[in-house]
Amino acid sequence: MVGKVFAPLGVALTFLRRKTNLTMWIVFAMVTGIILGHFAPDFSVQIKPLGDLFIRMIQCIVGPLIFSTLVVGIAGHGDDLARVGRLAVKSIVYFEVVTTFALIIGLLSVNIIKPGHGFTMGNETPNITKTPITWVTELNHIVPTSFFGAMADHAAVLAIVFCAIMFSVAIMLADRESKKIMLAFNDSLSKIMFKVVHLVMNYAPIGIGAALAATVGQYGLHSLSASGKLVGTLYGTLIVFVIVILFPIALLARLPLKEFARTVGEPFLMAFATASSESALPKAMESMIAFGCPPEIVAFVIPTGYSFNLDGSTLYLALAAMFCAQVAQVEKSLGEQIIMMLTLMLTSKGVAAVPRASFIVLIGTLGNANVPTEPLALIMGVDAFMDMARTAINVLGNMTACAVVSKWEGEFRNEEWHMRQNGELPQHSAVMDEVQDSEYNNHAHHNHMADDKESIRSRH
């Protein structure tokens, strides 16, 4: 009798499981969260811990995931330090060129639209401590005092990358037995962490919906009208940036655009709803590997891009800094604006992992540029909404960079990827098969790509 009562529920759940996917549930949760936040703001603010829980679950897996995948990606490809250096140079060059375009577009937009004109300066001064940002503090963020401290600090993405690179180089210089043991450990760890990602993603719709509901409940949809011109300018400029910069880059790289759009969908929505790039990092890495980017390139480009390739945050900072100057009626020459933008480019590195950390960078920059901080009161009410947009563009820009660098290296959808797609290889890195091969020697390792693929063909 009980079974008959719950039978329709079972049929409905089976239907939903087959006909829906995670992206659909995330979109549904976002819509539900906005409605709930608007009509039940007090309740929505109270369920904010459910959204915080999702971010905390992500934060606890970011460290081991980045470290293990990066170590396997670098050290698992032989003693070819030149290749690692080449990949680093190409990535940094791409990051700096694209973020420079973001600064230029942001400056053009804010000077043409002038969103700060017509506002009156508020009397409220944001009560946020100014944090001095110097090259010394930046170096201290890159080089940690403790390996485990870097792993425990969810914001220390660049420090984890530094530790992983040093550890990988040391593995390359170690004896064969030590190398085999450490690669096996990290390869297993990376596979397990991706399984953990799958488990966490099952909670994503609940966490994202709660986070969005709390944001709308706390600030209200009406807050957008108070600084609507600023918000509209940012969203419009970000769309222009995607159309004018990222879209042509994808075309020049000859990426399969429809497949790429499906690949970036879930990470983009997750970053938008949570206003934290970190929440989308594991899914972004997994999606790019499935899209056809080699694991070693994904493991290097995306985590590094979280510190060096902040397209959305860079554009936002350019716009917001000049907005404050316009509200305060402080005239800035072209040279002064360029100096402000160069300062923002340097001081914004590494803020992608922390929600609304760009706001702290903005305050420091305004102080250095002698711009009053009072206009920040106009931004505070809508910063959460702007943070969602700029964070989503950060993630989109990093996933684009990963695909472009893979193409640049000639490794996009290589033979191993096609063999995995055809079921001829298991869905994991073949690095450990090479390390354990009895034919292993230094010469073969230097010629790893060709020799490994030939050995794969002979086994199959």
Side-chain angles (χ1 to χ4, degrees):
M1 183 65 181
V2 176
K4 292 182 179 180
V5 172
F6 288 98
L9 179 60
V11 173
L13 291 175
T14 302
F15 174 81
L16 290 175
R17 187 167 55 249
R18 292 178 179 177
K19 300 297 182 180
T20 62
N21 54 37
L22 184 61
T23 303
M24 296 176 64
W25 283 108
I26 290 176
V27 172
F28 175 77
M30 290 174 65
V31 174
T32 303
I34 292 173
I35 296 173
L36 187 63
H38 180 64
F39 290 102
D42 294 336
F43 173 77
S44 298
V45 172
Q46 292 177 1
I47 64 172
K48 185 178 183 295
L50 296 179
D52 295 338
L53 180 62
F54 173 65
I55 295 180
R56 292 175 67 89
M57 292 167 67
I58 292 292
Q59 289 171 345
C60 75
I61 64 177
V62 165
L65 177 64
I66 293 177
F67 183 84
S68 60
T69 53
L70 194 53
V71 167
V72 173
I74 296 176
H77 281 76
D79 308 323
D80 193 358
L81 291 175
R83 181 177 185 271
V84 176
R86 185 176 68 250
L87 178 62
V89 170
K90 288 182 177 180
S91 300
I92 298 299
V93 168
Y94 175 91
F95 295 158
E96 296 308 318
V97 168
V98 176
T99 51
T100 300
F101 278 123
L103 279 175
I104 293 173
I105 291 177
L107 267 184
L108 289 174
S109 175
V110 75
N111 281 285
I112 292 173
I113 301 175
K114 299 184 184 301
H117 286 189
F119 281 98
T120 57
M121 188 179 298
N123 295 323
E124 178 187 356
T125 301
N127 184 23
I128 300 179
T129 303
K130 295 182 181 180
T131 304
I133 302 173
T134 65
W135 66 273
V136 176
T137 59
E138 293 299 302
L139 283 179
N140 290 339
H141 290 156
I142 295 174
V143 183
T145 57
S146 167
F147 166 76
F148 294 102
M151 295 289 284
D153 185 357
H154 62 83
V157 174
L158 199 57
I160 296 173
V161 172
F162 174 82
C163 291
I165 292 175
M166 294 292 289
F167 195 74
S168 301
V169 173
I171 288 179
M172 292 179 180
L173 302 176
D175 61 274
R176 174 186 172 185
E177 186 64 25
S178 299
K179 179 176 183 177
K180 183 174 69 172
I181 293 173
M182 292 312 301
L183 280 177
F185 172 78
N186 282 280
D187 191 54
S188 299
L189 178 60
S190 66
K191 295 173 190 174
I192 292 172
M193 293 314 299
F194 276 118
K195 295 296 183 183
V196 176
V197 170
H198 288 165
L199 295 177
V200 173
M201 287 305 107
N202 291 326
Y203 181 76
I206 298 175
I208 290 173
L212 200 54
T215 300
V216 175
Q218 181 175 354
Y219 297 101
L221 293 176
H222 64 278
S223 63
L224 290 177
S225 62
S227 303
K229 193 173 182 181
L230 173 62
V231 176
T233 301
L234 176 66
Y235 274 71
T237 306
L238 289 173
I239 292 173
V240 169
F241 173 76
V242 172
I243 295 174
V244 175
I245 302 298
L246 294 186
F247 183 68
I249 288 175
L251 287 178
L252 290 174
R254 297 184 177 181
L255 299 179
L257 296 182
K258 288 185 178 180
E259 293 181 48
F260 183 67
R262 288 194 295 267
T263 299
V264 303
E266 288 182 19
F268 183 90
L269 290 175
M270 291 170 60
F272 182 85
T274 62
S276 173
S277 300
E278 187 182 46
S279 66
L281 187 147
K283 187 63 180 178
M285 294 177 67
E286 182 184 35
S287 298
M288 292 311 295
I289 292 174
F291 180 60
C293 298
E296 65 271 15
I297 292 180
V298 173
F300 183 86
V301 173
I302 290 186
T304 307
Y306 269 43
S307 291
F308 290 99
N309 190 39
L310 307 177
D311 301 334
S313 294
T314 302
L315 191 150
Y316 159 80
L317 288 169
L319 194 152
M322 288 308 303
F323 169 81
C324 290
Q326 291 172 359
V327 171
Q329 299 180 356
V330 175
E331 295 295 330
K332 290 291 180 182
S333 66
L334 179 60
E336 290 175 320
Q337 291 186 39
I338 292 176
I339 292 175
M340 286 179 64
M341 296 309 106
L342 291 176
T343 302
L344 288 171
M345 181 181 290
L346 293 174
T347 57
S348 63
K349 306 305 181 187
V351 302
V354 184
R356 285 173 283 287
S358 297
F359 202 70
I360 306 298
V361 174
L362 178 60
I363 291 175
T365 303
L366 293 179
N368 293 334
N370 295 318
V371 176
T373 58
E374 284 80 1
L376 289 174
L378 298 171
I379 300 178
M380 290 183 69
V382 294
D383 185 67
F385 295 98
M386 293 190 291
D387 198 17
M388 293 188 292
R390 64 182 181 247
T391 301
I393 297 301
N394 286 342
V395 171
L396 175 61
N398 278 324
M399 296 182 76
T400 304
C402 183
V404 171
V405 172
S406 298
K407 279 275 191 175
W408 201 351
E409 282 284 287
E411 294 293 329
F412 181 73
R413 294 190 171 178
N414 55 24
E415 185 177 352
E416 293 181 17
W417 180 84
H418 283 290
M419 296 181 75
R420 282 195 291 270
Q421 295 297 109
N422 296 331
E424 299 174 27
L425 278 180
Q427 295 290 329
H428 65 270
S429 172
V431 170
M432 295 314 304
D433 293 338
E434 178 191 289
V435 173
Q436 295 167 355
D437 195 327
S438 60
E439 296 296 324
Y440 174 90
N441 57 64
N442 286 335
H443 174 74
H445 221 58
H446 277 293
N447 297 281
H448 139 267
M449 294 302 293
D451 293 346
D452 187 54
K453 290 172 182 176
E454 187 62 36
S455 65
I456 291 173
R457 290 194 200 99
S458 64
R459 286 199 295 266
H460 291 275

